[in-house]
Amino acid sequence: DGVPSAELTGVAASEAGEPRFSVRMHYADGTEERLQLPLGGKVWGEWAITEYNPDEATITIRSPEGLLILRRRVQVPLTVSQ
């Protein structure tokens, strides 16, 4: 259906103290892209990082359609089930 999957691959502290998130995008055509994003950064389309849970090592991404939780080494399609 052409919707990519996202996977959290790491979290790093920046000089300003704000974490940066490594996200690997997996596209339908088989290509991948590695992103380094701050809180609020756009993952794909309207999907943006809105929360970080250091205890669970997860990030929450949101779009107008809903929200998804990304964990390390787990690919999550950027769609919200109805």
Side-chain angles (χ1 to χ4, degrees):
D1 59 3
V3 174
S5 295
E7 168 188 5
L8 178 64
T9 58
V11 178
S14 70
E15 294 175 12
E18 291 292 320
R20 291 189 66 81
F21 307 99
S22 297
V23 176
R24 182 181 300 148
M25 298 297 297
H26 302 269
Y27 297 105
D29 65 2
T31 60
E32 293 183 359
E33 180 180 16
R34 294 173 189 256
L35 307 173
Q36 291 286 324
L37 301 166
L39 199 60
K42 296 280 186 172
V43 174
W44 180 75
E46 295 189 65
W47 290 99
I49 301 170
T50 58
E51 296 177 35
Y52 170 50
N53 183 331
D55 296 330
E56 298 290 326
T58 62
I59 59 174
T60 301
I61 61 173
R62 290 182 187 265
S63 79
E65 291 85 39
L67 64 87
L68 297 170
I69 306 295
L70 299 186
R71 293 175 171 76
R72 288 181 193 244
R73 296 181 293 277
V74 177
Q75 292 184 34
V76 177
L78 298 185
T79 60
V80 177
S81 299
Q82 299 298 325

